[in-house]
């Protein structure tokens, strides 16, 4: 999924270093160790933690002064592990995601980077402008304020931030011009894929981790606003939505020309 792609891209950028990995794993989830793909990496600890996005959690977060993801990713076990890292063993620590910035004060390693991946503030701005419902506007304005506060707090803890593209970097620099921000794009090595013989079709594939609400918005918008235009312009057009944990709103999109697969092991064969 997108989260693993991001992590693999960051780890690939560290080729030439020896990298020890400590990561969360959802309860009951199978997780392929990073060292299976990257020889310079070694997983030294895995923390099983239930950090699923739930509607109940989102409602509770409205009353909280911190972004929803920060509370979801708070773990005493993870804190104990990070607190015990040998100070002299590592040159630098890389924390992935604003929700993990909360652990920086307990990590004894002198230097640290924070991967923001993309600009949450930019996303909140876009969604605030996009929605018309006053309650939703108020919700995104509140989330924007909390996210800004969390970033402002973390700025003093890190030697720099990483983002996925120059667009995201420009957004982050507009808010925090004094924090060094660099771009590490997502990438995977090219591989040859032998596709099964099948008739050519006018197929559009939309992929995403549907625990991430902007991906849900994108799928719903594409099906409601773009597909009707494509049906009129190109006969036989199909939409295939691929990704884990599609909510009920996306599952209801299934139609003669719309498929919803959920998670797939083999993307080319989906």
């Amino acid at each position: 999924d997108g989260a693993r792609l991001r992590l693999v891209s960051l780890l690939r950028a560290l080729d030439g270093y020896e990298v020890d990995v400590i990561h969360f794993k959802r309860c009951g989830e199978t997780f392929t160790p990073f060292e299976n793909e990257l020889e310079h990496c070694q997983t030294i600890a895995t923390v099983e933690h239930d950090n699923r996005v739930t509607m109940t959690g989102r409602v509770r977060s409205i009353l909280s002064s911190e972004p929803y993801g920060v509370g979801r990713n708070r773990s005493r076990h993870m804190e104990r592990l990070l607190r015990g890292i040998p100070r002299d063993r590592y040159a630098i620590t890389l924390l992935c995601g604003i929700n993990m910035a909360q652990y920086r004060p307990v990590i004894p390693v002198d230097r640290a980077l924070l991967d923001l991946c993309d600009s949450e503030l930019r996303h909140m701005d876009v969604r605030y402008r996009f929605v018309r419902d006053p309650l939703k506007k108020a919700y995104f304005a509140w989330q924007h304020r909390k996210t800004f506060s969390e970033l402002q707090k973390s700025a003093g803890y890190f030697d720099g931030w990483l983002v996925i593209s120059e667009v995201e970097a420009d957004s982050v620099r507009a808010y925090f011009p004094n924090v060094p921000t660099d771009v590490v794009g997502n990438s995977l090595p090219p591989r040859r894929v032998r596709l099964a013989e099948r008739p050519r079709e006018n197929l559009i594939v939309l992929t995403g981790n549907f625990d991430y609400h902007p991906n849900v918005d994108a799928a719903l918008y594409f099906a409601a606003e773009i597909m009707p235009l494509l049906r009129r312009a190109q006969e036989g057009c199909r939409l295939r939505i691929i990704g884990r944990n599609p909510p009920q709103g996306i599952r209801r999109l299934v139609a003669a020309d719309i498929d919803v697969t959920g998670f797939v092991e083999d993307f080319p064969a989906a």
Side-chain angles (χ1 to χ4, degrees):
D1 59 23
R4 186 175 179 89
L5 169 61
R6 182 59 181 164
L7 288 170
V8 170
S9 299
L10 289 168
L11 294 172
R12 194 177 302 284
L14 294 170
D15 191 12
Y17 295 86
E18 291 184 12
V19 180
D20 288 345
V21 180
I22 300 175
H23 66 85
F24 279 127
K25 180 173 81 81
R26 287 184 177 175
C27 299
E29 180 183 54
T30 57
F31 195 96
T32 304
F34 291 108
E35 49 265 41
N36 288 16
E37 303 175 52
L38 304 162
E39 293 182 355
H40 63 288
C41 296
Q42 173 185 327
T43 301
I44 60 173
T46 301
V47 176
E48 196 166 88
H49 183 65
D50 188 4
N51 63 353
R52 290 172 298 177
V53 176
T54 64
M55 185 55 66
T56 302
R58 284 196 169 277
V59 171
R60 286 177 179 168
S61 78
I62 294 174
L63 304 177
S64 171
S65 62
E66 62 185 15
Y68 177 33
V70 173
R72 278 194 302 118
N73 288 279
R74 183 167 292 127
S75 160
R76 290 181 181 176
H77 186 185
M78 177 64 79
E79 182 178 331
R80 284 196 299 270
L81 281 172
L82 296 177
R83 193 183 292 275
I85 289 176
R87 178 172 187 166
D88 299 330
R89 181 172 177 177
Y90 300 103
I92 197 164
T93 301
L94 172 62
L95 291 168
C96 297
I98 183 176
N99 301 327
M100 297 297 289
Q102 61 186 302
Y103 295 107
R104 176 62 184 114
V106 306
I107 297 174
V109 180
D110 290 334
R111 299 186 62 207
L113 295 174
L114 176 66
D115 177 52
L116 299 177
C117 186
D118 43 31
S119 170
E120 286 286 335
L121 294 175
R122 185 175 73 85
H123 288 180
M124 295 298 174
D125 284 339
V126 170
R127 298 180 81 184
Y128 177 85
R129 292 195 299 268
F130 178 75
V131 299
R132 295 184 177 86
D133 187 315
L135 288 178
K136 289 184 178 180
K137 278 191 176 292
Y139 173 80
F140 289 126
W142 176 225
Q143 295 303 318
H144 185 284
R145 181 176 176 181
K146 292 194 291 184
T147 302
F148 179 85
S149 176
E150 192 70 20
L151 283 169
Q152 192 173 43
K153 182 170 62 176
S154 78
Y157 294 153
F158 291 92
D159 297 276
W161 292 340
L162 304 177
V163 292
I164 197 172
S165 72
E166 288 295 343
V167 171
E168 307 298 342
D170 288 344
S171 171
V172 170
R173 289 168 186 150
Y175 286 102
F176 299 97
N178 296 323
V179 179
T181 302
D182 294 296
V183 175
V184 177
N186 278 359
S187 64
L188 288 177
R191 65 188 182 102
R192 292 185 178 275
V193 178
R194 187 170 183 174
L195 300 178
E197 291 295 327
R198 51 185 168 184
R200 183 178 178 84
E201 54 183 338
N202 295 320
L203 178 65
I204 300 161
V205 175
L206 192 155
T207 67
N209 171 10
F210 294 111
D211 282 337
Y212 185 53
H213 283 262
N215 291 342
V216 176
D217 285 348
L220 295 174
Y221 179 83
F222 195 97
E225 303 293 335
I226 306 302
M227 275 304 286
L229 302 177
L230 294 176
R231 289 182 185 114
R232 292 195 293 270
Q234 180 66 56
E235 185 178 352
C237 233
R238 295 186 57 79
L239 171 63
R240 184 162 297 149
I241 301 173
I242 300 174
R244 72 178 183 186
N245 300 331
Q248 188 175 5
I250 289 182
R251 293 196 298 269
R252 283 199 296 257
L253 296 174
V254 172
D257 58 356
I258 299 179
D259 305 320
V260 178
T261 68
F263 177 78
V264 296
E265 290 286 350
D266 186 357
F267 181 79

